[in-house]
Amino acid sequence: MTTDAPALRRTTRRSRPRDTAVKTGSSGILLIVAFLFCIPLVWVILASFDKNASLAVAWPGSPTFDNYRGVLNEKTTYRPIWNSLLLCGGGTILTVVCAALAAYPLSRYRSRATRPFLMTIIFASGLPLTAIMIPVYAMFVQVNLIDSMPAAAVFLAASSLPYAIFLMKNFMDGVPQELEESAWTEGAGMVRTLWSIVLPLMRPGTAVVTMLTFVGMWGNFFVPFMLLLSPDKLPAAVSLFTFSSQYGQVQYGQLAAFSILYSLPVALLYLLLGRRLRDGFVAAGGVKG
Amino acid sequence: MAAVAETSTLTTGPGRTNDRDPARTARRGMPLLPAVALLLIFMAGPVIYSIYLAFTNKALRGEGADHTSLVGLTNFTDAFAKADFWNAMWLTLVFTVVSGVIGQNLLGMALALLLRKCAAWVSWLTGTVVIGAWIIPEVVAGYLWYTFLSGDGSLNKVFDWFGLGPQDWLISAPIVAVSFANIWRGTAFSMLTYSAALSQLDPEVEESAAIDGAGPLRRFWSITVPLIRRSIMTNLLLTTLQTLSVFGLIFVMTGGGPGTKSQTLPLYMYQQAFSFGQLGYGTAVALVLLLVGGVAALAYLKVLPKEDLT
């Protein structure tokens, strides 16, 4: 540390003007990008407080909560959000449990089958989900599972499993094995070891997997749109789409207010776990295993 | 598809006793079962079923609904003879290349590079905004861009302000409009992937190249890109496949229209299967979509040296 300090200081001093210029330039460009990215968001925020909202951005003449009051009722907001919670919460729990179980042998034991299995998983995680929705619909019709929330949740879980297993395995690889060895010698079973030793050590990783899975399901439109029919079972993604027809004439202010209410849970989740999100991408980059 | 796992012979790790007791192998493979069962039933199942469906005349109403029968390659030859199919194919390629391969990747890479060199608060702000666009639900993103671009929307207000005539992007250039929306929505993924890859690099390599007199562009092409090649390929593959299957965003923004001007393969497939009730034909189109994805995947894997895989 002491020996490094003078050299470090010299480098800093020598390159300071250039570095400052680069820093200012980069920051400037990024601020412009951030501004441009914000523009489409401005409408939804302003319109949600505007009683007479139109399609164009406008400063609400007299800001009001009327739009929120208008949508905060069982039929418009509470039930769809509750349905989303059931569908995505159930799906996420199933995904994370199955992914954690599957990742354990993949991470801990070497086998000739591990590599092909992982390759299959990577390939399946890229499978365009849209392309299999017609056969899924046809299958669900045949076994009478259309319009069943549990069935839709299980399908959502299965479709997010490949990526979840892949991420979970990479996080698990980062947990040293020594701690488990002693648990093994003391006779703890595999599931017990996983639950009480490995998972607590990779809590940030599990959090990232859980969050990414949940956010993916929360925003998914096509799956519930195809598999659910009854208005009282529709999650927010689909009810938002049917919003305009419910009212005859589109109430843009209410549409904006509901959009915000519907986006809020995932935005909060992101704020809670935001910094850890990067760990997830570092782990996903470590495909080598 | 995922069947390998069931017959897996899990051998022992280096530090363990080296027996190949089948009972032990089975016990170790047990935790994989729930995941494998779900994947076989809900992912491999539909893929296999779609191969069957695509060769039938299954329909929601009419003849194909009463008696489903095999019709050979009819669905495919029908598709290949239709202008609407080729229109959808062409729009899918334009949408995927413009918004996924070029837009999201280049912008994501540029952002990742800039984020390394900027003030901390700017990095936080930009990261939050870009990830915010990624995290909000697809349908909401669709409405945001619909209101932003439509005839009475915000963009035209800005144009008015500059004295330019109004432009209805959703009508005059719908595929450009949805491409922009998709770049806006999807860039965060590339940005996060590339940021993660860049953060793994050893800064000394670049520094020594800088001392040797290599300019920033040259350093980027000759050092950074080869080092993160694997991330670039994986990301290109994932963004391509994600973009190929975009449905909700386009469905909400334009519904595929006006006419068929933004009807990509997923929307064409949906229209044929559900508006016209032709499940068999729709599945054949879906299978073509899967095939396009498979070809793209193979192309990327081919470019990547073998030792880089898993």
Side-chain angles (χ1 to χ4, degrees):
Chain A
M1 183 69 210
T2 35
T3 46
D4 282 355
L8 200 70
R9 209 179 307 128
R10 208 180 316 123
T11 337
T12 330
R13 196 186 300 137
R14 194 185 53 207
S15 52
R16 189 173 290 156
R18 216 191 113 75
D19 275 4
T20 321
V22 169
K23 201 171 176 177
T24 317
S26 305
S27 302
I29 299 172
L30 285 175
L31 282 178
I32 295 171
V33 173
F35 174 74
L36 291 175
F37 261 76
C38 271
I39 296 176
L41 287 169
V42 175
W43 173 83
V44 75
I45 295 167
L46 293 182
S48 75
F49 293 107
D50 191 343
K51 188 82 184 124
N52 307 308
S54 68
L55 281 172
V57 165
W59 196 258
S62 48
T64 114
F65 282 100
D66 283 2
N67 292 324
Y68 288 94
R69 264 192 287 273
V71 294
L72 279 176
N73 54 60
E74 202 212 322
K75 188 175 157 240
T76 318
T77 302
Y78 299 137
R79 199 185 292 156
I81 296 275
W82 174 241
N83 289 341
S84 286
L85 279 174
L86 285 179
L87 198 65
C88 307
T92 303
I93 292 170
L94 190 58
T95 304
V96 174
V97 169
C98 290
L101 284 173
Y104 191 72
L106 290 173
S107 168
R108 286 338 194 208
Y109 308 124
R110 295 235 181 110
S111 155
R112 264 170 290 134
T114 309
R115 221 179 98 103
F117 184 77
L118 280 174
M119 288 300 287
T120 312
I121 290 292
I122 295 171
F123 192 75
S125 72
L127 189 79
L129 195 58
T130 313
I132 62 166
M133 283 318 290
I134 300 175
V136 168
Y137 176 83
M139 270 170 67
F140 274 45
V141 167
Q142 275 184 356
V143 288
N144 213 5
L145 282 177
I146 289 289
D147 208 25
S148 148
M149 289 225 325
V154 172
F155 177 72
L156 278 173
S159 64
S160 32
L161 254 180
Y163 192 60
I165 294 176
F166 171 62
L167 262 185
M168 198 71 112
K169 189 245 168 205
N170 280 318
F171 277 119
M172 219 173 262
D173 286 345
V175 177
Q177 246 182 55
E178 288 75 34
L179 289 156
E180 287 153 80
E181 314 258 324
S182 58
W184 280 106
T185 49
E186 278 164 37
M190 199 180 320
V191 173
R192 206 195 145 82
T193 316
L194 175 67
W195 178 252
S196 51
I197 296 176
V198 184
L199 283 179
L201 285 172
M202 52 177 283
R203 209 173 280 148
T206 316
V208 170
V209 179
T210 310
M211 184 190 113
L212 284 177
T213 307
F214 186 80
V215 169
M217 287 182 189
W218 190 261
N220 193 312
F221 165 73
F222 202 30
V223 172
F225 181 62
M226 296 277 282
L227 299 183
L228 298 173
L229 302 170
S230 321
D232 60 336
K233 288 182 187 166
L234 295 181
V238 186
S239 79
L240 176 58
F241 180 72
T242 50
F243 209 88
S244 39
S245 48
Q246 274 176 15
Y247 285 81
Q249 198 189 359
V250 181
Q251 305 227 16
Y252 290 109
Q254 297 199 352
L255 186 97
F258 181 67
S259 296
I260 287 186
L261 291 171
Y262 166 38
S263 308
L264 220 54
V266 285
L268 290 176
L269 207 59
Y270 164 66
L271 282 179
L272 275 175
L273 288 161
R275 257 174 302 154
R276 286 179 177 168
L277 195 62
R278 230 196 55 165
D279 303 342
F281 280 81
V282 172
V287 193
K288 254 182 176 122
Chain B
M1 178 182 168
V4 277
E6 283 191 322
T7 54
S8 71
T9 47
L10 290 164
T11 55
T12 46
R16 301 180 185 280
T17 46
N18 199 19
D19 64 337
R20 289 201 179 200
D21 176 11
R24 182 183 184 144
T25 302
R27 205 170 57 238
R28 284 181 170 178
M30 281 288 274
L32 278 164
L33 281 181
V36 170
L38 279 179
L39 288 172
L40 282 177
I41 298 170
F42 292 99
M43 300 293 278
V47 171
I48 294 163
Y49 189 41
S50 76
I51 295 171
Y52 161 75
L53 266 188
F55 293 95
T56 68
N57 65 348
K58 193 171 178 69
L60 289 175
R61 0 171 219 283
E63 197 194 334
D66 302 333
H67 303 285
T68 306
S69 54
L70 285 164
V71 292
L73 286 169
T74 313
N75 288 327
F76 293 93
T77 47
D78 275 3
F80 296 152
K82 276 185 189 160
D84 275 358
F85 170 80
W86 290 111
N87 170 64
M89 178 67 100
W90 168 245
L91 289 174
T92 306
L93 294 180
V94 170
F95 179 67
T96 305
V97 171
V98 170
S99 72
V101 178
I102 299 175
Q104 290 179 9
N105 267 282
L106 282 188
L107 188 57
M109 176 66 89
L111 290 176
L113 288 169
L114 288 168
L115 282 170
R116 290 207 300 175
K117 304 252 156 88
C118 68
W121 67 275
V122 177
S123 148
W124 178 83
L125 183 78
T126 315
T128 305
V129 172
V130 175
I131 294 172
W134 176 57
I135 221 152
I136 62 167
E138 194 177 13
V139 183
V140 175
Y143 276 118
L144 291 186
W145 278 84
Y146 171 76
T147 59
F148 181 60
L149 294 176
S150 70
D152 325 308
S154 309
L155 189 66
N156 280 328
K157 248 191 150 182
V158 178
F159 274 32
D160 270 354
W161 202 60
F162 284 109
L164 296 162
Q167 254 291 352
D168 203 332
W169 300 97
L170 292 166
I171 292 180
S172 62
I175 196 71
V176 178
V178 293
S179 296
F180 265 100
N182 193 45
I183 293 174
W184 180 80
R185 194 173 135 73
T187 295
F189 186 82
S190 298
M191 181 188 85
L192 286 164
T193 308
Y194 290 139
S195 290
L198 292 173
S199 75
Q200 305 283 81
L201 292 183
D202 183 359
E204 277 179 28
V205 182
E206 272 197 88
E207 274 165 30
S208 59
I211 290 164
D212 288 343
L217 266 182
R218 172 144 185 116
R219 285 204 305 266
F220 178 69
W221 276 117
S222 314
I223 296 169
T224 314
V225 167
L227 281 175
I228 61 168
R229 185 182 61 205
R230 204 154 50 89
S231 297
I232 294 177
M233 282 303 156
T234 318
N235 190 54
L236 273 171
L237 175 63
L238 288 178
T239 45
T240 304
L241 293 171
Q242 278 163 10
T243 315
L244 273 181
S245 67
V246 169
F247 176 84
L249 191 71
I250 304 179
F251 194 61
V252 169
M253 279 180 72
T254 68
T260 56
K261 277 168 85 181
S262 59
Q263 193 177 56
T264 55
L265 278 175
L267 280 104
Y268 178 66
M269 171 202 97
Y270 175 80
Q271 184 201 46
Q272 295 297 318
F274 293 99
S275 307
F276 303 154
Q278 299 299 324
L279 285 182
Y281 182 77
T283 310
V285 174
L287 218 53
V288 173
L289 180 65
L290 270 182
L291 220 63
V292 173
V295 169
L298 284 179
Y300 288 122
L301 292 180
K302 198 102 189 150
V303 177
L304 209 62
K306 244 200 152 104
E307 70 268 23
D308 276 357
L309 293 171
T310 324

